[in-house]
């Protein structure tokens, strides 16, 4: 898929958190748009995507001067109270362009100097391991959440063909965990998986969060339905997984491999 990149100077980086992310003071998105272009991404149904002439996944806006702006905003925000940041709510901070731009890295460098009270880094990219040196400097204040929706590459390719391979994500979780960082695997959303899925997760991480379209897309599954995701399940002959109760089969398996206090469901797994 051909990509277009636009450089923009943002007026604001830290935005008040609300809705599903109530519990955070702010969200932080280094980019607008996302080249991973996941078929089920709820952002496709949000104004940032709906009012754009280019299809979701084909464009990325790079926020120039973001680190300097963030430094000022952090100082100002901390005067008003605790600062907890969700990075990111409508893009992946470690999408392919980050290899070149190092924009997310520059924001972490800023946060090392002006530390927030808590930072959650949400990604599906193993590139996050590049910044382990900075994450370790935020060690007590950061959690890294890596999406691993399934252990079946055939399913991953059907739903998220531009996203990183699953084995690389599992390896990233293992590496970050070995560094002593607070990490979790986000089975978000639950996609069809094998019977060995949960066992494979338990080998590399000790905290998991499970979510699905019906709990996590912000509209009880209506946004996802409009995206036509049901068709992909039908083409894979896996329609029984597109069900409000499908997550329960994975949750039951999680309970056999993880302590209950290390299993989180939907919103609870993403809160500070």
């Amino acid at each position: 898929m051909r990509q277009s990149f636009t450089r923009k100077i943002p007026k604001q980086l830290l935005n008040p958190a609300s809705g599903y992310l109530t519990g955070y003071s702010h969200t932080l998105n280094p980019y607008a748009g996302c080249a991973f272009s996941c078929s089920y991404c709820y952002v496709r149904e949000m104004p940032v995507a709906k009012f754009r002439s280019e299809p979701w996944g084909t464009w990325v806006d790079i926020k120039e001067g973001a680190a300097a702006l963030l430094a000022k905003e952090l100082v100002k925000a901390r005067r008003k109270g605790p600062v907890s940041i969700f990075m990111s709510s409508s893009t992946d901070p470690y999408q392919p362009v980050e290899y070149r731009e190092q924009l997310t890295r520059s924001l972490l460098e800023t946060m090392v100097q002006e530390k927030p009270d808590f930072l959650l880094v949400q990604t599906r990219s193993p590139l996050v391991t590049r910044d382990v040196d900075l994450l370790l400097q935020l060690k007590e204040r950061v959690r890294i959440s890596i999406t691993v929706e399934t252990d079946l590459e055939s399913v991953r390719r059907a739903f998220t063909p531009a996203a990183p391979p699953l084995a690389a994500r599992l390896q990233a979780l293992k590496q970050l965990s070995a560094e002593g960082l607070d990490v979790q695997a986000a089975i978000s959303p639950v996609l069809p998986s094998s019977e060995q899925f949960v066992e494979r997760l338990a080998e590399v991480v000790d905290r998991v969060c499970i979510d699905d379209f019906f709990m996590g897309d912000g509209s009880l599954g209506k946004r996802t339905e409009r995206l036509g995701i049901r068709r992909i399940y039908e083409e894979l002959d896996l329609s029984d997984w597109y069900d409000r109760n499908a997550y329960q089969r994975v949750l039951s398996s999680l309970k056999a491999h993880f302590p209950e206090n290390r299993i989180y469901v939907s919103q609870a797994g993403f809160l500070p």
Side-chain angles (χ1 to χ4, degrees), residues 96-141:
V97 70
E98 172 63 16
Y99 281 95
R100 180 185 75 219
E101 295 296 327
Q102 298 194 33
L103 173 51
T104 296
R105 182 172 176 84
S106 73
L107 297 178
L108 287 175
E109 289 172 338
T110 296
M111 284 186 270
V112 165
Q113 298 302 315
E114 292 289 345
K115 290 182 173 62
D117 293 274
F118 182 79
L119 169 68
L120 188 136
V121 178
Q122 176 59 53
T123 184
R124 65 187 63 237
S125 173
L127 178 57
V128 65
T129 59
R130 177 201 64 189
D131 294 336
V132 68
D133 59 324
L134 300 173
L135 296 169
L136 284 170
Q137 293 181 67
L138 292 165
K139 189 171 181 179
E140 303 300 325
R141 302 167 184 255

Side-chain angles (χ1 to χ4, degrees), residues 22-24 84 118 143 270-272:
T22 297
Y24 285 89
S84 52
F118 182 79
R143 175 177 301 132
F270 296 102
L271 294 180

Side-chain angles (χ1 to χ4, degrees), residues 38 40 92 121-125 144-150 164-166 169-170 173 184-189 197 201 270:
C38 300
Y40 51 72
D92 195 303
V121 178
Q122 176 59 53
T123 184
R124 65 187 63 237
S125 173
I144 304 98
S145 177
I146 298 181
T147 300
V148 188
E149 320 95 312
T150 177
L166 299 165
R169 299 188 222 174
L170 290 171
L173 281 168
Q184 76 171 8
I187 310 171
S188 175
F197 179 36
L201 288 179
F270 296 102

Side-chain angles (χ1 to χ4, degrees), residues 15 52 80 92 123 209 215 234 237-238 253 258:
N15 291 290
R52 191 90 172 209
K80 299 178 180 180
D92 195 303
T123 184
C209 172
M215 294 183 287
E234 291 171 349
D237 196 23
L238 292 168
S253 184
F258 290 84

Side-chain angles (χ1 to χ4, degrees), residues 11-222:
K11 295 181 179 179
Q12 184 175 348
L13 279 176
L14 291 179
N15 291 290
S18 60
Y20 191 81
L21 296 177
T22 297
Y24 285 89
S25 63
H26 299 87
T27 61
L28 171 57
N29 292 284
Y31 301 95
C34 183
F36 288 152
S37 189
C38 300
S39 62
Y40 51 72
C41 183
Y42 63 85
V43 184
R44 290 175 178 269
E45 286 291 303
M46 295 176 67
V48 67
K50 297 285 276 187
F51 298 150
R52 191 90 172 209
S53 59
E54 307 151 282
W56 179 255
T58 66
W59 58 272
V60 175
D61 291 344
I62 301 164
K63 299 180 182 181
E64 289 205 317
L69 178 57
L70 178 61
K72 295 177 182 177
E73 291 186 349
L74 280 171
V75 171
K76 184 177 179 180
R78 292 184 68 182
R79 293 191 190 122
K80 299 178 180 180
V83 176
S84 52
I85 299 173
F86 188 96
M87 184 176 78
S88 301
S89 59
S90 62
T91 189
D92 195 303
Y94 286 99
Q95 61 185 292
V97 70
E98 172 63 16
Y99 281 95
R100 180 185 75 219
E101 295 296 327
Q102 298 194 33
L103 173 51
T104 296
R105 182 172 176 84
S106 73
L107 297 178
L108 287 175
E109 289 172 338
T110 296
M111 284 186 270
V112 165
Q113 298 302 315
E114 292 289 345
K115 290 182 173 62
D117 293 274
F118 182 79
L119 169 68
L120 188 136
V121 178
Q122 176 59 53
T123 184
R124 65 187 63 237
S125 173
L127 178 57
V128 65
T129 59
R130 177 201 64 189
D131 294 336
V132 68
D133 59 324
L134 300 173
L135 296 169
L136 284 170
Q137 293 181 67
L138 292 165
K139 189 171 181 179
E140 303 300 325
R141 302 167 184 255
V142 67
R143 175 177 301 132
I144 304 98
S145 177
I146 298 181
T147 300
V148 188
E149 320 95 312
T150 177
D151 63 334
L152 301 175
E153 272 295 311
S154 58
V155 171
R156 195 273 303 169
R157 288 192 295 269
F159 285 91
T160 62
L166 299 165
R169 299 188 222 174
L170 290 171
Q171 181 58 37
L173 281 168
K174 183 177 181 179
Q175 180 179 339
L176 295 173
S177 182
E179 293 283 355
L181 289 162
D182 182 3
V183 298
Q184 76 171 8
I187 310 171
S188 175
V190 172
L191 294 182
S193 58
S194 78
E195 294 182 0
Q196 292 75 43
F197 179 36
V198 169
E199 188 174 345
R200 289 169 178 160
L201 288 179
E203 292 174 353
V204 297
V205 71
D206 68 356
R207 176 187 165 113
V208 289
C209 172
I210 184 169
D211 204 358
D212 66 6
F213 303 123
F214 307 99
M215 294 183 287
D217 79 350
S219 64
L220 302 178
K222 293 177 183 177

